[in-house]
Amino acid sequence: MDLTSLLAQSDPVAIARQLIGVELISEADGQETSVLLTEVEAYYAPHDLASHARNNTRTARTEVFWAAPGSCYIYTIHTHMMLNVVTGPVGTPHAILFRAGAPHRGLETIKARRKMTKLKRQLTTGPGVLAKALGIKDKTLYGSDLLDPENPLRLEVTTPPVTKDGIVATKRIGLGVKAGEWAEKPWRFHLKGSPFVTPG
DNA sequence: GGTCAGATGGACT
DNA sequence: GTCCATCTGACCG
């Protein structure tokens, strides 16, 4: 299964599972850094009230949800950048949030960006932290193609797929009250046994 | 382990 | 202008 076909599938929950272990590579600041994804969450709008594209809410911020699968959705919360990839056929507002990864390439650069000296969980765990580790500090790459080998931020399959029983499904994190029952969906996936996973 | 303030873009009145 | 958010780091025990 190549990523282009995977991300074009119609079920973001099934896709999210298969993104665990995929490499997310950044060339920000002329430095190559990457992580192997250890934690992601699926967002299944328009029905999913936890998604920014709930009820087909289409604004300048959410416009990219309707673009091609593989497009990058970046938004800010407080002072942090959140990285997502759009999935599904064009016109279905689905996305998957990257929440954590295990450092893979450019460990020294990652540690410098995080102002940390040791390899530990907090280095690349948490969506805002992950973006910072990869040097993503603004929305420049909003709408760019994460499947394009020329894009400074991209996804690549570089390691064998993680087996099904190596992945754990739990509830999503940090959703507001208006998500209601959708907050209960087990649409957060993480690599079993990995230290690079958010608590909860 | 738990609690809590910071800090800012974006949606909506 | 107001309200809120897919959060983090610091602080306290």
Side-chain angles (χ1 to χ4, degrees), chain A residues 171-183:
Chain A
K171 288 198 296 188
R172 293 179 291 181
I173 303 278
L175 305 181
V177 289
K178 55 173 178 269
E181 61 179 287
W182 295 91

Side-chain angles (χ1 to χ4, degrees), chain A residues 160-176:
Chain A
V162 177
T163 57
K164 212 173 178 180
D165 51 352
I167 294 173
V168 185
T170 52
K171 288 198 296 188
R172 293 179 291 181
I173 303 278
L175 305 181

Side-chain angles (χ1 to χ4, degrees), chain A residues 37 43 138 146 160:
Chain A
L37 293 173
Y43 286 85
D138 54 39
L146 298 180

Side-chain angles (χ1 to χ4, degrees), chain A residues 11-18 42-44 96 186-187 189:
Chain A
D11 179 4
V13 177
I15 298 169
R17 277 183 171 276
Q18 296 175 73
Y43 286 85
Y44 200 178
I96 295 168
W187 289 351
F189 299 99

Side-chain angles (χ1 to χ4, degrees), chain A residues 140-155:
Chain A
T140 304
L141 296 172
Y142 178 96
S144 68
D145 182 4
L146 298 180
L147 299 173
D148 179 356
E150 302 294 312
N151 200 44
L153 184 65
R154 61 184 181 273
L155 292 167

Side-chain angles (χ1 to χ4, degrees), chain A residues 26-178:
Chain A
S26 165
E27 285 166 6
D29 314 321
Q31 303 284 318
E32 186 175 66
T33 50
S34 79
V35 298
L36 297 177
L37 293 173
T38 52
E39 181 177 332
V40 300
E41 283 178 359
Y43 286 85
Y44 200 178
H47 321 290
D48 181 1
L49 297 182
S51 171
H52 293 157
R54 68 184 81 88
N55 302 321
N56 286 311
T57 302
R58 194 163 179 168
T59 63
R61 178 174 64 149
T62 60
E63 185 60 35
V64 77
F65 274 88
W66 284 267
S71 298
C72 182
Y73 172 44
I74 304 182
Y75 68 91
T76 57
I77 174 166
H78 297 249
T79 53
H80 308 288
M81 313 300 301
M82 304 282 139
L83 301 176
N84 304 245
V85 61
V86 172
T87 73
V90 174
T92 62
H94 306 162
I96 295 168
L97 168 67
F98 303 140
R99 289 192 54 88
H104 191 61
R105 296 193 230 176
L107 180 60
E108 293 311 310
T109 302
I110 290 174
K111 287 195 289 193
R113 283 176 181 150
R114 297 280 296 122
K115 297 184 169 40
M116 290 181 176
T117 52
K118 295 173 68 174
L119 176 62
K120 57 178 178 179
R121 180 172 67 83
Q122 290 87 341
L123 196 57
T124 49
T125 300
V129 163
L130 180 64
K132 188 168 181 185
L134 293 173
I136 306 300
K137 23 188 193 308
D138 54 39
K139 291 175 67 177
T140 304
L141 296 172
Y142 178 96
S144 68
D145 182 4
L146 298 180
L147 299 173
D148 179 356
E150 302 294 312
N151 200 44
L153 184 65
R154 61 184 181 273
L155 292 167
E156 281 184 24
V157 175
T158 56
T159 57
V162 177
T163 57
K164 212 173 178 180
D165 51 352
I167 294 173
V168 185
T170 52
K171 288 198 296 188
R172 293 179 291 181
I173 303 278
L175 305 181
V177 289
K178 55 173 178 269

